Structures are given as C-alpha cells and as structure tokens.
C-alpha cells in the first residue's frame, strides 16, 4: 500500500495525444527554432557588447517580455500551480510582493547601476567595496545558486511536463530541453535569449488565459471555486498525514500569524527583504549595462533564464 501511495515516482504519461495536439506542439517547437535562428543571425556577435549585452540597443518591450518569461518559466507554472493546489491562494503573495520591489528596481537600483557604468553586479560590488576577491566570490556564489536552485528546477519542471504530455523518457526530455536552449543561447547571445523569451511570453499569456477560462467553465465559475477546492483530494496521498487534505484557510490571502502556513506578517514584511535581493540585487536575475541615452532601457533589468 505504501508503494502504491508513494509520491516519489514520476507521474505516468497522460492520455494519447490527438493529431491536433501533435500539430500544435510541432508548430510551437518550430516557432522557437525559427525565432532562435533569426535572432542568432541578426545579433551582432562580433563584439563583447553585442554578444553579452545585445548591443545595448534593445527596445523596452522585448526586455519586459524577457523579464516576464524568465521569471514565470516552467518552474513557476508547475511549482506555483502545485503550491496553490496544496495550500491555497496565499502563495500568490510571493508574486504580488514583487510588484513594488520591481518598481524599486526601475526607479532606485537601475539608475545607480547605470551611473556606475558597470555590466555585472559583481563588478559593482568590486567598485563599491574594492578588491577582486569579493567580486570572484559573488560571481561563483551566484553561479552555484543559479544552477542548484533555479536552472535545475526549471529543467525538471519542463521535462516533467514533456514526459507527462508526450510520454517521452524523462531524462531524454531533460537533455533535449537543455541542448535546444544551449544551442540558440550560445549561438546568438543575449539578443537570442530576449527574442525567444518574448515569443514565450505571448504563448504563456495566451495559454494561461485560455486555461483559466476553460477551468472556470468546468467548475461552474469563480463562485464555485471554493466548493470545488474543498472536495479536491489527490488520488495519490502520503499515509498518516493530512497534508493532502484541503486547508480550512485555503481561500484566505492573509493568514493567521501564529497558525497559518504562510502568515500575513511574514508575507507582508519578511518576504520584502528576500524579494529585494532577488529582484534588485541578484546577479542571475538582474543583468545591467550602461546604454547610450537614446536607449536607456537597452541593457537594464533583463532577467536571464532558460
């Protein structure tokens, strides 16, 4: 019985895809490859600025789309959906908290980075405090944290989705995802990452809206969400625990400060400290440049990711 209820095994692949599903998936991959090839050919890769900073002449809309796509990638689509299913609406506080922190990035942090004429945050730390060792330390630390806390999770979530939908081997899905991403990123530099992210943004936003409308229609509208959630118990559970049962405060954003799993005090005040680090000072999340005045947002605030 314990083996049957184990949550450690990978989910079994879903139902067989129809011809329409296969066509949509094929078109999706074809569009990604086409945009990657187009942007790689268009990018100016013969200079350091052209390769790593997209020539410092990128307009605001692909940068904003890249910021969105990289922060709302497969890890958040799968992870936040799972966290919401397990604990309720309060998990949205993590994203809402980023709203005013990103405003601080735009109006406080980015002007400082630009006026400092730096390219990376370790370079800023070196200028601010002096010494090469602190710059190397932050660079290595940022790389390790990115690999073990973000890139690996995004790869896992993306491969898990491919495994469930297409029935492909999980490890094969992981390798293919990594290879395809690495090819167009290495070939075209930052410009390719930005343009492919812009395509992902359109797909994610349109797909999320369609999915939300379809889901609400299935349960009878938003007013039926609480009742439907209260009856939602997963088919695979962990014995001798209650973590699989819907929480009584699942529909509350602000939860009790002593008994809540996400207390409103920590969500409102404590999370701001972590969000400021992630959105405003994390080298992996914020890549800054010193663009010319005509393209102020050409290299500022770009979120890098797979």
């Amino acid at each position: 019985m314990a083996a049957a209820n184990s949550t450690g095994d990978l989910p079994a692949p879903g139902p067989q895809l129809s011809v329409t599903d296969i066509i949509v998936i094929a078109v999706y991959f074809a569009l990604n490859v086409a945009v990657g090839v187009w942007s790689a050919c268009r990018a100016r890769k013969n200079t350091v600025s052209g390769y790593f900073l997209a020539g410092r002449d990128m307009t605001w809309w692909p940068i904003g789309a890249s910021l969105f796509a990289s922060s709302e990638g497969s890890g958040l689509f799968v992870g936040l959906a799972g966290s919401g299913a397990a604990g309720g609406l309060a998990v949205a506080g993590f994203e809402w908290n980023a709203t005013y922190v990103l405003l601080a990035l735009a109006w406080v942090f980015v002007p400082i980075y630009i006026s400092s004429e730096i390219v990376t945050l370790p370079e800023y730390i070196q200028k601010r405090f002096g010494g090469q060792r602190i710059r190397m330390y932050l660079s290595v630390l940022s790389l390790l944290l990115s690999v073990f806390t973000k890139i690996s999770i995004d790869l896992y979530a993306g491969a898990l989705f491919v495994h469930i939908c297409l029935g492909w081997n999980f490890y094969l899905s992981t390798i293919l995802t990594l290879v395809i991403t690495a090819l167009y990123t290495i070939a075209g530099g930052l410009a390719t990452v930005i343009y492919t992210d812009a395509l992902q943004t359109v797909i994610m936003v349109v797909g999320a809206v369609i999915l939300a409308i379809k889901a609400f229609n299935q349960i009878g509208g938003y007013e039926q969400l609480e009742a439907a959630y209260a009856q939602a118990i997963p088919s695979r559970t962990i014995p001798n625990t209650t973590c699989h049962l819907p929480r009584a405060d699942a529909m509350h954003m602000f939860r009790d400060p002593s008994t809540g799993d996400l207390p409103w005090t920590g969500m409102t005040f404590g999370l701001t400290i972590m969000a400021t680090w992630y959105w405003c000072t994390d080298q992996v999340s914020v890549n800054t440049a010193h663009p010319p005045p005509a393209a102020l947002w050409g290299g500022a605030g770009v979120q890098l990711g797979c």
Side-chain angles (χ1 to χ4, degrees), residues 190-203:
L190 182 60
T192 302
V193 174
I194 292 175
Y195 282 119
T196 52
D197 278 351
L199 173 63
Q200 302 295 336
T201 296
V202 175
I203 294 173

Side-chain angles (χ1 to χ4, degrees), residues 18-263:
S18 65
V19 176
T20 304
D21 297 327
I22 296 175
I23 292 175
V24 170
I25 294 172
V27 170
Y28 165 76
F29 280 110
L31 277 175
N32 271 284
V33 172
V35 171
V37 172
W38 170 80
S39 56
C41 295
R42 184 176 180 271
R44 294 188 297 236
K45 306 184 289 292
N46 55 338
T47 64
V48 173
S49 175
Y51 186 83
F52 289 103
L53 303 178
R56 295 181 177 177
D57 60 357
M58 193 68 64
T59 55
W60 65 269
W61 67 266
I63 291 177
S66 179
L67 176 66
F68 176 86
S70 297
S71 63
E72 308 296 331
S74 59
L76 268 74
F77 258 79
V78 176
L80 279 183
S83 297
L89 294 179
V91 70
F94 286 94
E95 297 305 307
W96 285 3
N97 195 281
T99 304
Y100 52 88
V101 177
L102 281 171
L103 293 177
L105 169 66
W107 296 106
V108 178
F109 287 84
V110 165
I112 294 175
Y113 296 149
I114 293 177
S115 63
S116 300
E117 299 185 3
I118 52 97
V119 173
T120 65
L121 289 175
E123 183 182 1
Y124 173 78
I125 292 297
Q126 181 185 25
K127 283 191 172 184
R128 176 65 178 82
F129 298 104
Q132 180 71 16
R133 287 181 296 178
I134 190 171
R135 177 177 178 175
M136 292 298 298
Y137 169 76
L138 182 58
S139 300
V140 173
L141 180 63
S142 298
L143 180 62
L144 292 176
L145 288 175
S146 175
V147 170
F148 289 105
T149 66
K150 180 172 175 58
I151 295 177
S152 56
I153 295 174
D154 286 342
L155 282 173
Y156 174 81
L160 182 63
F161 177 81
V162 173
H163 168 73
I164 294 174
C165 291
L166 302 182
W168 293 0
N169 178 271
F170 177 78
Y171 296 103
L172 175 62
S173 303
T174 304
I175 293 172
L176 286 176
T177 303
L178 184 60
V179 168
I180 293 174
T181 304
L183 283 176
Y184 70 71
T185 301
I186 295 173
L190 182 60
T192 302
V193 174
I194 292 175
Y195 282 119
T196 52
D197 278 351
L199 173 63
Q200 302 295 336
T201 296
V202 175
I203 294 173
M204 285 193 293
V205 171
V206 173
V209 171
I210 294 174
L211 179 61
I213 294 174
K214 188 174 181 62
F216 281 126
N217 285 338
Q218 288 288 330
I219 64 173
Y222 183 81
E223 61 276 6
Q224 299 297 323
L225 176 61
E226 185 171 2
Y229 180 84
Q231 300 174 2
I233 298 178
S235 57
R236 307 180 70 182
T237 62
I238 302 175
N240 303 321
T241 66
T242 59
C243 62
H244 58 278
L245 298 177
R247 294 180 57 88
D249 58 356
M251 295 298 145
H252 293 268
M253 282 293 300
F254 296 96
R255 298 182 179 177
D256 190 274
S258 56
T259 61
D261 60 334
L262 295 172

